[in-house]
Amino acid sequence: MSCPDCFRGAQHNHTEPKGTIETIHGIKTYVAGGSDPSRSKSTIIYLPDAFSLKLVNNKVLADEYATQTGCKVYIPDVIRNGGGVLTKIYTIFLILPEAVPFMLFGKPENVYPQILDYARAVKKDLPAGGKLGVAGFCWGAWPSTKLCAETATPGGSERLIDAQFNGHPSYIVNTPDMVVDAIKKFKVPYSVAVAEEDMQFNKAEAEKMEARLRDDIGVSGGEQGYIYEFRIYKGCKHGFCVRAPLGKTKKEHDSENEDGYHGSLKQAVEWWNKYLN
């Protein structure tokens, strides 16, 4: 399975990243926001697509989350740091982008233990009253979903994640039980931005997932207290939450994916402000 829309998207040059690169719990991490704890005590872990910190768009989007929520946002470079083969053949992405199977670059479960340890360490560092959110895109949507069923400490009972958002997810279409468990186990608010024309998790798959959830745990916002949403972005393709072309000329303009980019940004920010702040 390949992910050509990840490669066709644009690099965003409308602004420069405002965050810093730091080593957090042993992992190279992009850090956005968090300078004003009076606005928010919460932190969001941003699990990116396979381009990770190599793609400026991920940093720019993290900056937007930080600015609009007041939360601190971390992008841990877990793909480069722990992915092994990812580092060695990253240049192939640049040489033969549409010929390289996305799966070649490592399934997320290969580095999931490292992601879990990182998230637990970040949770432990939160100030009193702080909450932990997680965002995942493409590759990152699988670990962001799985983290929702984890405890804050090994063998503990407190949930690790307080709210989850993912955009144009990969892999989760093959693991519907994991999505059910992510919502059911600790009632973590779970939000997804879905590209209508995604080659994997598209409108049809999202509708099937919602039907499964209604059967297994009931409707969102019902008596059982489960909260979930799958918003479909008409005409959008995989990668739209991060790589949609912005501000192009009329001839080049991709209004559906650009509108989807702004819509999914608003969706995520509203989710964070409701459940983390």
Side-chain angles (χ1 to χ4, degrees), residues 28-31 46 48 52-53 58-59 62 73-77 118:
K28 179 182 177 182
T29 301
Y30 181 76
V31 181
Y46 179 128
S52 193
L53 300 184
N58 286 314
K59 299 174 186 176
V73 182
Y74 289 160
I75 308 180
D77 197 18
Y118 182 90

Side-chain angles (χ1 to χ4, degrees), residues 109-125:
E109 53 261 43
N110 293 344
V111 292
Y112 180 74
Q114 185 180 28
I115 294 171
L116 175 58
D117 288 345
Y118 182 90
R120 282 176 166 162
V122 172
K123 180 85 168 187
K124 185 178 179 180
D125 283 349

Side-chain angles (χ1 to χ4, degrees), residues 103-267:
M103 291 296 189
L104 183 64
F105 291 83
K107 293 181 179 180
E109 53 261 43
N110 293 344
V111 292
Y112 180 74
Q114 185 180 28
I115 294 171
L116 175 58
D117 288 345
Y118 182 90
R120 282 176 166 162
V122 172
K123 180 85 168 187
K124 185 178 179 180
D125 283 349
L126 292 175
K131 297 179 181 180
L132 182 62
V134 63
F137 299 91
C138 188
W139 183 97
W142 190 94
S144 78
T145 295
K146 191 168 178 61
L147 286 175
C148 294
E150 301 285 3
T151 55
T153 57
S157 58
E158 177 191 359
R159 72 184 184 185
L160 174 62
I161 301 299
D162 296 295
Q164 190 274 174
F165 169 85
N166 70 65
H168 55 264
S170 295
Y171 296 98
I172 69 169
V173 69
N174 300 318
T175 52
D177 289 344
M178 186 180 71
V179 178
V180 173
D181 197 40
I183 300 166
K184 184 177 183 179
K185 189 169 183 179
F186 292 115
K187 298 184 178 180
V188 174
Y190 187 88
S191 179
V192 187
V194 181
E196 181 185 38
E197 299 178 11
D198 199 303
M199 72 288 183
Q200 187 181 177
F201 197 81
N202 47 38
K203 179 182 178 181
E205 293 298 333
E207 289 174 347
K208 285 196 291 187
M209 190 69 247
E210 282 190 287
R212 166 77 185 274
L213 289 166
R214 288 194 297 270
D215 288 343
D216 285 10
I217 63 176
V219 298
S220 177
E223 294 180 353
Q224 302 302 316
Y226 300 110
I227 301 168
Y228 58 88
E229 66 172 12
F230 294 79
R231 295 193 194 178
I232 312 297
Y233 287 84
K234 185 177 180 181
C236 288
K237 299 182 183 299
H238 186 82
F240 78 103
C241 295
V242 176
R243 296 184 65 91
L246 303 180
K248 296 292 185 179
T249 65
K250 186 173 181 179
K251 183 178 179 180
E252 299 172 309
H253 195 210
D254 182 352
S255 60
E256 289 180 322
N257 281 286
E258 180 169 357
D259 289 348
Y261 174 89
H262 293 299
S264 63
L265 170 58
K266 184 173 184 288
Q267 176 185 346

